[in-house]
Amino acid sequence: MLDPFDSAIASFAPVLPLAVAYSGGADSTALLQVCAQKWPESVAAVHVHHGLQAVADDFEAHCRRFCDRLAVPLMVLRVDAVHAPGQSPEDAARRARYQALRSFTLANGHIQSVALAHHADDQVETVMLALSRGAGLPGLSAMPRQWRRDGIDYHRPLLAVSASEVRSWLKRRGIGYVEDPSNTEQRFTRNRIRARLLPALEDVFPQFRTTFARSAEHAAQAQRLLEQVACEDLAVVGSPLVIAKLRQLTRERQANALRQWFRDACHTTPSAAQLNELLDQLAACATRGHQIQIKLGSGFVVRQGAVLHWYNP
């Protein structure tokens, strides 16, 4: 009988060639090892050098040695992951990492798929963070198992595998990896969840990884349905938004359509307070003279005659 790690990989069937995001840590090491064995000469490794730690060069050197042993080509991407004022270091590093991966795939047209080594514990941590922030369905959906962007398929084949199962798989095979010292720093919220909350959940709800993943799947399914409804409503309302047609929708469908419009057409996200203020103004917008100008996301939404516009000054 296959263990959870081997079972997850057995069902992983990406379009080749495949690039594996490889940090040198346990999870990406296991993923790269098994992918290189399964698809020899069709796998490349991509290592993002953040330059934030003194050990970053040591990580790169370890990755080069490991890839040499596997006969896997390695591309090292150097990024500036310094966080902006008000931005968390984790978020800055994550954004820089994904932008580097995106640039790499666009520059290497032969790459068809990218594999990321996020596992079940990462998924639980993501759900917990979303709950702590009062997130809606997009946040509670957590990390998708697969998605497509810029013509590239992205995969997370280990989302059903726990961190301990990944490490057990490596230990049985005597495969080494590096430990990122920042993973134990309690100043990071995700690390506190990992160190304090996950053991408590394990004690009270032993199957929490499976049940949390199921809830995230339900949230993702519901979010896809809401997006379909929003697209149908926006096809009637138009863009820019015709106020009279928008007012014919229920408040809930107005909110749903507005979120979709701001995300897709304006590339911004309103806060709950900003969206509620706009909905209140729409409810009161019964005359031509009613003016609307509200700070929303990274810009402003204004009424111009019969329609709503959004702009970023």
Side-chain angles (χ1 to χ4, degrees):
M1 181 178 178
L2 294 177
D3 69 13
F5 182 92
D6 287 325
S7 178
I9 293 300
S11 61
F12 179 38
V15 178
L16 302 175
L18 170 71
V20 176
Y22 176 47
S23 69
D27 316 313
S28 61
T29 295
L31 182 59
L32 179 58
Q33 172 80 29
V34 75
C35 288
Q37 290 176 344
K38 193 171 182 179
W39 302 292
E41 301 183 4
S42 294
V43 174
V46 182
H47 176 75
V48 178
H49 188 302
H50 296 91
L52 297 175
Q53 302 181 65
V55 294
D57 289 339
D58 295 336
F59 289 171
E60 179 186 337
H62 169 86
C63 291
R64 289 191 183 280
R65 289 192 298 270
F66 188 71
C67 288
D68 285 344
R69 289 201 299 272
L70 293 178
V72 167
L74 173 68
M75 173 63 71
V76 176
L77 309 177
R78 295 179 180 271
V79 300
D80 179 6
V82 177
H83 63 285
Q87 184 183 29
S88 75
E90 293 170 295
D91 182 58
R94 180 183 62 82
R95 289 178 181 274
R97 189 162 54 247
Y98 277 105
Q99 182 56 47
L101 280 172
R102 180 171 181 264
S103 298
F104 170 78
T105 56
L106 290 176
N108 292 267
H110 65 287
I111 296 294
Q112 297 296 307
S113 307
V114 175
L116 308 169
H118 298 107
H119 48 62
D121 292 43
D122 294 323
Q123 188 74 316
V124 171
E125 293 161 15
T126 302
V127 172
M128 297 292 287
L129 284 169
L131 286 169
S132 73
R133 295 166 180 159
L137 288 177
L140 297 176
S141 301
M143 296 183 290
R145 188 178 301 274
Q146 181 180 348
W147 74 102
R148 187 170 179 82
R149 182 178 181 181
D150 301 322
I152 303 294
D153 292 320
Y154 290 80
H155 301 268
R156 293 187 175 101
L158 304 182
L159 278 186
V161 185
S162 71
S164 62
E165 289 165 340
V166 173
R167 282 157 177 76
S168 294
W169 188 91
L170 289 168
K171 185 177 180 180
R172 290 194 299 271
R173 288 156 180 79
I175 300 172
Y177 51 89
V178 296
E179 291 281 8
D180 187 338
S182 69
N183 286 341
T184 60
E185 292 184 14
Q186 295 289 300
R187 62 192 177 97
F188 296 130
T189 304
R190 186 178 284 272
N191 289 350
R192 293 198 298 275
I193 292 173
R194 186 178 307 141
R196 303 178 193 178
L197 290 183
L198 296 197
L201 285 170
E202 183 97 57
D203 183 54
V204 179
F205 304 111
Q207 302 300 316
F208 76 97
R209 292 179 181 85
T210 301
T211 55
F212 273 49
R214 189 183 306 140
S215 292
E217 293 270 1
H218 291 328
Q221 185 180 49
Q223 177 60 26
R224 289 192 293 271
L225 177 59
L226 287 177
E227 289 172 357
Q228 292 174 18
V229 173
C231 289
E232 292 173 1
D233 287 341
L234 288 171
V236 175
V237 171
S239 182
L241 305 173
V242 178
I243 295 173
K245 293 181 178 179
L246 190 60
R247 279 168 47 88
Q248 292 175 2
L249 303 175
T250 64
R251 185 181 177 98
E252 291 78 14
R253 288 179 71 159
Q254 287 178 21
N256 186 49
L258 286 166
R259 287 193 194 95
Q260 185 86 7
W261 186 69
F262 287 126
R263 181 172 61 249
D264 294 348
C266 310
H267 308 293
T268 193
T269 303
S271 69
Q274 290 170 340
L275 185 58
N276 280 327
E277 171 63 18
L278 178 56
L279 292 170
D280 289 343
Q281 290 295 320
L282 285 170
C285 191
T287 64
R288 291 188 205 174
H290 187 98
Q291 298 302 308
I292 295 176
Q293 180 165 353
I294 300 171
K295 175 73 172 70
L296 194 143
S298 56
F300 292 85
V301 62
V302 296
R303 177 178 184 176
Q304 294 181 353
V307 300
L308 281 181
H309 282 275
W310 182 89
Y311 73 96
N312 184 343

